[in-house]
Amino acid sequence: MTILANAPTAIEPYQARRSPQADEVPFLWMHQIRSVIDAAAERTPRAVLVGNAGSGKSSTLRHLHTVLVESGHDVVTAAGSTNISRTAQGQVLLVDDLDRLSAAQLAQVRDRAENADAALIAAVRPSTWTAAVIDIVRALERSRPAIVLGHLARSDVLSYLEQHDLYLQPTCLTSILEMTGGSSWLVAEALAAHDDRDCEGGDHRELRGMIEQHIAHRLDTIDARLRRDIEQICIAPPGRSLPSDEPRAFGASAAGYAEGLLLRNGQPVPLVRSAVHATIAVQRLVELSGDLAASLAHSAANGDVGHQTWIGLLHDRELGDALSRHADRMRDSDPARASELYTAAVRSGVDAAALVGRRAQAAWAAGDLDAASALIEQSAGQHDELTVDTAAAIWSARGMMDQACATYRATPVSNAISATRAAVAAVGCGASDAVGTSTPSDSSAAPSVLGVSMSLLRRGLETSVTTGDAEGALADLVRASEMFTTAGTADGIPELPAVIAAIVALNLGGLATASSVIDNAIAGSQGGPWARPRLLLWRAWIAVQRAQPAEARAALAEAGDLTAALSPRDTLLAHAVDVAIARRYDDAAGLESAWRQARASLLRVDVDLYLLHPLAELISSASRVGDTERIQPQFARALEITEALGSPVLWSAHLRWAGIQNGILRGTAESIRGHAKALVDASEGSRIAATMAKAGRVWTSVLGGTVDADAIEKAARGLASIGLMWDAARLAGHGAARADDRKISARLLACARELHPIDGSRRAAAAAAAVRHADDHPGDATPAEAVLSEREIEVARLVVEGKTYAEIGETIFISPRTAEHHIAHIRRRLGATSRSEVIAKLRHLLGAQSAPAAPARAYPKDADTSP
């Protein structure tokens, strides 16, 4: 219901209404004046009302006049010509605007106030009172406390609405009380003007505009000096007012409160502030802007919104410079707000070209790649390190490390920090001439945390590609990552120190170390907001290598939730994680689906040194789905990069191993030979290469029909020791599948299960479903568990997913024949006589217990390979 038709105003609440009765609620502020209404019933009514303009004190006196007359009192209302001394002691004298009486009348009222038997009710504004007014107020307060008007609480309005059978949405009431500050006259005006049809969106824009016009009118009618003071208070940021050392500061606050335009603490009512903002003359604004620059900048940096109204109106270079300085300090800690401040600085008159590099870096740090790119395009011709670092980082994120390297070559940098970033880009694209070059340094400057981090990063990276001291390189890179996190910088870098350290740890088979480095970087917010999705993706990648698919999926989902769109480089990594999970835990159809999505991202990214791990996964998966040719250009480019760097075994071994896996899956000895030779050649100086070379030989023997259980198990455990747990399990599984001796087959299958446990997330999902079933159906047995064993339930789910005997065996590391035995037993338990019947019964039996499965494939017609 709309308030418009029935709400009172502060000027005349009862206009066009019947005469009020004493027992109803005629005013919004009725509960506040209840005591003075009670005084009207006394023989000698005495009271004082204190209220600012529009608080209702005059309306209350008019109402009291009616109540007093109806109670039988003889009432006299004081006017400018009234001789108060002639008013009889028994008559009730009503005095409005006590503070505006002449000195002679004030003296007469004071004499009457001192006489406790003289009836007197006075109303006065809360301003700077004279001694006579103070004496009168104190004398009347001896009869009863002063009735103070001017502020309305929520309960006041609710009582009024209830008494008059009116309704207002709670959100509307909250909004009105917030915008008016509870000021009586503004609340009354807002209730009178409120219309439900203007409430859409909840901002009450139309209502605000109407009330602001009333406020503007009141400003036009007050003393000119007071208006100027109120304007100055209103354009200051929240919390700021007139300087306390100005003599008029207190007087302005008191007078503004008396007019109903300021709160008692001297701050403007919110609607009064916005009204001044909307109506102040431009010339007046210009006069005040010089004093406001620093205050507005401080307000903006602290997150206040008071500055936003003035940005674009105050073309003040001092304000713009102050905003820029605040933005500089916030660029690493809160880049999104820094971007806002830089934009405000430009609108305030700062040269946009002077800020473009810093604005681009802030956009980059906030993760807005497109905005950062657009700003970099505007910075053509600028060669400061910040702009160059940001531009190179953007090229890297887009999957173009060559262009990042070219950016640094086109604009040589002069400081050691940027020189290290340039080296990261150069090594990443295989530019060997960047290795070993001197680093610019300033020996007179004290070392900084960031400087030390970059020094360790460069040394560790160069060591990893030039010497055999892999452990020393890893130690430097781990410390570089820790120092980079401590530095708290969000400046652009082609690759994060944590990622480089984690990759080297993976290259050495240190899965736990790699995980620790990434987890610490995430906990310490390394790189700022832009870096978090990338770090989470590497957490997912490492989790896959550690046979933790549930953790990998969780990290992958969290990375996706952080941004609307991953960068091309991060998108490739995300798809590689998906493919890795599908290759290990899904069926052929699931892997094909993941591969189709991943191969599109390959077209958008150029391979670089720091993408070799995800590339190796994609190479193996492409071979598995028969799409090897599509990834050959990227494989060839990866080999070129490592060869350009001198084929450092620390970086090239896993790539060579992917080549061997590719050959094994394709069954082509020719494609294996070159990679195997490279690993053998590097074996003498690398445990990783030696382990891979030995496992490659054993695997080739297995595929040739030779099954040496001891050699297979030793090679498999060797692969697991260098972080290749999935490959280790596959080697043991292949050996088991080709063993003629059932004991050897069982031994190797047990080894495979030990080295790479199956996905426990599905079992957890089933357990959770069982708990839900038990909660919903107390006393019922879980259907599947009542019929099948745990292993049979596991096999049954794979059957429902459409896997063949061979695929079931490969997934849970059992032989195809064992899978067939399990399924035959399941058929007997279910009483099924056909393949279609067993599948139908399994679907019904598993029901909600089944974890989300990949789309089921049609079973092959060959009865020897399918259930």
Side-chain angles (χ1 to χ4, degrees):
M1 175 179 176
T2 302
I3 293 295
L4 182 62
N6 299 319
T9 66
I11 306 301
E12 183 54 69
Y14 275 92
Q15 219 167 23
R17 289 176 62 89
R18 63 183 175 80
S19 298
Q21 301 299 313
D23 60 348
E24 73 173 315
V25 183
F27 304 117
L28 284 163
W29 47 88
M30 187 62 198
H31 90 279
Q32 297 171 334
I33 63 171
R34 183 67 69 181
S35 65
V36 77
I37 297 293
D38 294 341
E42 298 175 355
R43 180 180 179 186
T44 307
R46 289 170 63 84
V48 59
L49 288 81
V50 181
N52 52 17
S55 63
K57 61 185 187 304
S58 298
S59 298
T60 300
L61 285 180
R62 287 196 292 273
H63 176 62
L64 285 173
H65 186 282
T66 300
V67 173
L68 288 166
V69 170
E70 291 178 350
S71 300
H73 287 287
D74 184 8
V75 183
V76 176
T77 301
S81 58
T82 301
N83 187 341
I84 294 173
S85 61
R86 294 181 179 180
T87 303
Q89 179 175 291
Q91 292 178 303
V92 181
L93 178 65
L94 300 182
V95 181
D96 197 6
D97 291 328
L98 176 66
D99 50 311
R100 295 185 178 182
L101 295 181
S102 65
Q105 286 181 311
L106 276 176
Q108 295 169 356
V109 174
R110 180 167 54 186
D111 291 340
R112 188 178 183 87
E114 294 295 338
N115 182 357
D117 295 325
L120 173 62
I121 298 178
V124 61
R125 286 190 178 191
S127 185
T128 306
W129 293 336
T130 63
V133 171
I134 293 174
D135 289 342
I136 294 168
V137 171
R138 287 177 175 173
L140 291 175
E141 284 183 326
R142 285 195 287 270
S143 299
R144 61 176 22 86
I147 294 93
V148 180
L149 306 175
H151 180 82
L152 292 174
R154 190 182 190 89
S155 58
D156 297 323
V157 181
L158 291 174
S159 296
Y160 175 83
L161 296 175
E162 181 180 359
Q163 182 72 22
H164 291 81
D165 294 325
L166 300 174
Y167 176 75
L168 190 66
Q169 289 283 352
T171 53
C172 292
L173 177 55
T174 298
S175 179
I176 287 173
L177 291 174
E178 287 178 352
M179 71 174 74
T180 61
S183 178
S184 298
W185 78 279
L186 289 174
V187 172
E189 292 285 1
L191 291 177
H194 183 270
D195 190 326
D196 289 341
R197 293 170 295 182
D198 293 329
C199 292
E200 187 174 352
D203 60 357
H204 291 90
R205 187 177 305 173
E206 296 295 331
L207 179 62
R208 286 176 178 272
M210 295 173 64
I211 306 303
E212 285 172 358
Q213 292 304 312
H214 287 282
I215 296 171
H217 172 71
R218 179 165 291 193
L219 287 167
D220 289 340
T221 62
I222 64 175
D223 177 73
R225 182 171 181 176
L226 176 60
R227 174 174 181 160
R228 286 195 298 271
D229 288 341
I230 290 175
E231 286 176 343
Q232 185 166 351
I233 293 172
C234 287
I235 66 173
R240 304 291 183 90
S241 59
L242 291 172
S244 59
D245 57 350
E246 291 192 17
R248 72 175 191 277
F250 175 76
S253 296
Y257 175 67
E259 291 292 345
L261 297 170
L262 300 179
L263 300 174
R264 186 175 287 278
N265 63 3
Q267 288 298 305
V269 175
L271 266 178
V272 175
R273 185 188 293 276
S274 61
V276 170
H277 286 195
T279 60
I280 191 170
V282 174
Q283 183 57 41
R284 175 63 176 153
L285 185 60
V286 172
E287 292 173 3
L288 295 172
S289 64
D291 296 335
L292 288 174
S295 294
L296 287 174
H298 181 79
S299 165
N302 286 330
D304 298 332
V305 297
H307 74 286
Q308 294 178 351
T309 305
W310 304 110
I311 299 303
L313 297 177
L314 293 179
H315 291 281
D316 183 273
R317 181 59 184 268
E318 182 182 351
L319 170 60
D321 289 341
L323 289 168
S324 298
R325 289 192 296 272
H326 282 298
D328 290 343
R329 288 194 289 270
M330 302 180 73
R331 215 166 53 222
D332 290 331
S333 60
D334 192 347
R337 179 164 293 281
S339 291
E340 294 175 2
L341 295 181
Y342 283 132
T343 301
V346 171
R347 295 181 63 196
S348 298
V350 175
D351 182 16
L355 292 180
V356 68
R358 284 179 279 175
R359 293 176 68 193
Q361 192 280 333
W364 158 265
D368 193 341
L369 192 63
D370 291 336
S373 296
L375 287 164
I376 287 295
E377 289 300 311
Q378 298 175 24
S379 68
Q382 295 191 22
H383 305 297
D384 61 282
E385 272 87 1
L386 180 64
T387 304
V388 173
D389 287 339
T390 305
I394 291 171
W395 283 120
S396 172
R398 293 198 181 283
M400 299 180 180
M401 192 67 76
D402 287 345
Q403 300 306 316
C405 186
T407 299
Y408 282 114
R409 291 186 184 278
T411 311
V413 291
S414 58
N415 69 72
I417 293 174
S418 290
T420 297
R421 290 187 168 100
V424 170
V427 172
C429 62
S432 58
D433 57 340
V435 178
T437 56
S438 60
T439 302
S441 63
D442 183 0
S443 57
S444 63
S448 66
V449 173
L450 181 58
V452 171
S453 170
M454 292 293 98
S455 177
L456 289 168
L457 177 61
R458 181 157 191 168
R459 188 173 72 185
L461 185 58
E462 291 186 351
T463 300
S464 74
V465 298
T466 57
T467 73
D469 187 13
E471 295 295 341
L474 178 60
D476 280 344
L477 292 171
V478 169
R479 287 191 296 161
S481 176
E482 293 172 350
M483 291 293 100
F484 193 82
T485 300
T486 301
T489 179
D491 289 351
I493 189 169
E495 187 56 277
L496 290 164
V499 171
I500 296 175
I503 292 172
V504 170
L506 289 173
N507 291 344
L508 289 170
L511 298 184
T513 300
S515 179
S516 174
V517 168
I518 293 297
D519 287 347
N520 290 339
I522 292 173
S525 299
Q526 182 176 121
W530 75 266
R532 189 170 183 84
R534 184 158 186 78
L535 291 170
L536 285 167
L537 291 174
W538 275 101
R539 170 184 279 176
W541 177 262
I542 295 166
V544 173
Q545 311 311 311
R546 301 185 76 184
Q548 298 170 343
E551 290 81 351
R553 293 185 185 103
L556 194 62
E558 186 179 351
D561 291 342
L562 287 177
T563 178
L566 294 170
S567 70
R569 200 156 174 265
D570 286 349
T571 298
L572 176 65
L573 178 55
H575 282 310
V577 173
D578 274 332
V579 167
I581 293 173
R583 188 163 72 96
R584 289 158 175 78
Y585 305 107
D586 214 336
D587 58 13
L591 176 57
E592 288 172 4
S593 175
W595 166 251
R596 281 195 301 270
Q597 296 181 53
R599 68 188 186 189
S601 63
L602 278 170
L603 301 176
R604 298 180 175 87
V605 175
D606 294 333
V607 174
D608 61 63
L609 188 69
Y610 313 114
L611 290 176
L612 296 188
H613 275 276
L615 178 65
E617 177 62 44
L618 295 176
I619 291 170
S620 296
S621 298
S623 303
R624 179 78 179 273
V625 300
D627 201 9
T628 307
E629 297 304 319
R630 192 182 297 272
I631 204 169
Q632 283 305 308
Q634 287 81 6
F635 191 9
R637 174 57 183 151
L639 291 172
E640 288 177 6
I641 291 173
T642 56
E643 289 169 1
L645 293 171
S647 296
V649 65
L650 184 60
W651 291 93
S652 62
H654 282 74
L655 187 63
R656 295 293 185 179
W657 178 251
I660 289 177
Q661 291 296 300
N662 179 35
I664 290 173
L665 290 167
R666 294 171 64 190
T668 57
E670 184 63 32
S671 61
I672 296 176
R673 188 173 296 113
H675 302 299
K677 183 178 184 304
L679 289 174
V680 170
D681 291 344
S683 295
E684 186 176 347
S686 169
R687 179 179 68 90
I688 303 297
T691 302
M692 291 177 176
K694 183 180 297 184
R697 285 194 300 269
V698 172
W699 211 321
T700 303
S701 297
V702 169
L703 295 178
T706 301
V707 179
D708 182 337
D710 291 336
I712 292 173
E713 186 168 349
K714 184 176 181 181
R717 294 190 182 281
L719 288 175
S721 72
I722 61 172
L724 299 176
M725 299 168 66
W726 171 245
D727 291 335
R730 285 181 59 240
L731 171 56
H734 282 182
R738 288 163 174 78
D740 295 327
D741 188 323
R742 298 185 65 179
K743 290 184 178 180
I744 291 177
S745 177
R747 170 187 166 186
L748 293 176
L749 287 172
C751 176
R753 287 192 291 272
E754 176 190 347
L755 295 177
H756 194 278
I758 63 170
D759 185 359
S761 60
R762 293 182 178 178
R763 185 177 299 169
V771 171
R772 289 194 298 271
H773 180 88
D775 290 342
D776 295 339
H777 305 86
D780 286 1
T782 303
E785 292 179 349
V787 179
L788 305 177
S789 69
E790 183 179 350
R791 172 64 86 182
E792 288 168 347
I793 291 173
E794 196 169 36
V795 172
R797 289 198 188 92
L798 299 175
V799 169
V800 171
E801 289 178 6
K803 290 185 183 292
T804 65
Y805 293 149
E807 289 171 339
I808 291 171
E810 185 174 345
T811 300
I812 60 176
F813 300 116
I814 62 176
S815 70
R817 185 169 296 277
T818 301
E820 183 179 3
H821 287 320
H822 279 305
I823 294 167
H825 190 248
I826 290 170
R827 281 178 174 171
R828 288 194 297 272
R829 288 282 188 94
L830 299 179
T833 58
S834 67
R835 182 172 57 197
S836 58
E837 186 180 1
V838 75
I839 292 175
K841 288 191 173 186
L842 283 176
R843 284 175 177 161
H844 175 74
L845 182 67
L846 294 173
Q849 281 191 344
S850 295
R857 299 178 295 120
Y859 281 111
K861 294 181 179 179
D862 183 359
D864 292 335
T865 59
S866 62

